[in-house]
Amino acid sequence: MADRAYTHAKGEFLRGNVDWENDNIDALLVMTNTTTDTEDTSIEVLSDFSTLDEFSGSNYLRIDVPSRTVTDDFVNSKAKLSCGNLVWNAIAPHLATAVRQIQAIIIFQNNGGAALDVPLFYLDSFGSAFNPGGNKQTFTPDISGLISF
């Protein structure tokens, strides 16, 4: 699967209900049993996914997406959403989930809970699934923009 925006998220951006630069935008990690990579139809909030399978290792927390900007790319007729590095410090696998790995990052609009939080983007461009092994994990967005419309 490639990085992508969820269909409902695109509509929310166009309706003006998501402000990339000013809303509470967070990131979470999902493991290999997730359905966030295959589900899109009727997905409006995080609780709509059949299986979120959020990472549950020690020291793990959802993080704020830092330094968010929107850039007009007139040469390529696109608007680009960018952000700073996404960093999770010293996260380790939970004993019960050690056999499963981190598969992707979900960027979402944090509205106060799974029944309100809007999934925006599925990101797996960092390569194959991996086990964090207690190390700092850094995702560096592509210089051409996190997502383009």
Side-chain angles (χ1 to χ4, degrees), residues 6-9 39-50 119:
Y6 290 103
T7 301
H8 179 70
E39 293 182 308
D40 191 1
T41 305
S42 301
I43 301 296
E44 296 183 3
V45 294
L46 288 177
S47 61
D48 288 338
F49 288 110
S50 298

Side-chain angles (χ1 to χ4, degrees), residues 22-101:
N22 296 304
D23 284 354
N24 291 326
I25 306 294
D26 290 347
L28 61 86
L29 298 171
V30 292
M31 297 185 293
T32 53
N33 285 348
T34 190
T35 58
T36 59
D37 56 338
T38 58
E39 293 182 308
D40 191 1
T41 305
S42 301
I43 301 296
E44 296 183 3
V45 294
L46 288 177
S47 61
D48 288 338
F49 288 110
S50 298
T51 307
L52 184 61
D53 198 25
E54 185 170 359
F55 183 72
S56 59
S58 59
N59 299 323
Y60 168 76
L61 296 171
R62 294 176 176 190
I63 62 169
D64 176 64
V65 176
S67 307
R68 298 180 311 272
T69 60
V70 178
T71 305
D72 297 326
D73 179 354
F74 294 105
V75 173
N76 296 304
S77 299
K78 294 180 179 182
K80 296 179 181 179
L81 304 182
S82 300
C83 69
N85 290 346
L86 303 176
V87 180
W88 284 270
N89 288 308
I91 56 174
H94 187 277
L95 293 177
T97 60
V99 296
R100 293 195 341 287
Q101 299 177 315

Side-chain angles (χ1 to χ4, degrees), residues 14-26:
L14 292 172
R15 285 186 283 277
N17 295 332
V18 176
D19 181 338
W20 178 249
E21 295 174 311
N22 296 304
D23 284 354
N24 291 326
I25 306 294
D26 290 347

Side-chain angles (χ1 to χ4, degrees), residues 105-127:
I105 299 167
I106 303 298
I107 305 292
F108 66 100
Q109 180 188 44
N110 185 340
N111 294 315
L116 302 170
D117 296 343
V118 178
L120 304 174
F121 308 114
Y122 174 91
L123 307 174
D124 70 353
S125 61
F126 49 76

Side-chain angles (χ1 to χ4, degrees), residues 129-142:
F130 65 94
N131 188 320
N135 299 314
K136 177 178 174 180
Q137 301 300 317
T138 302
F139 173 74
T140 303
D142 187 308

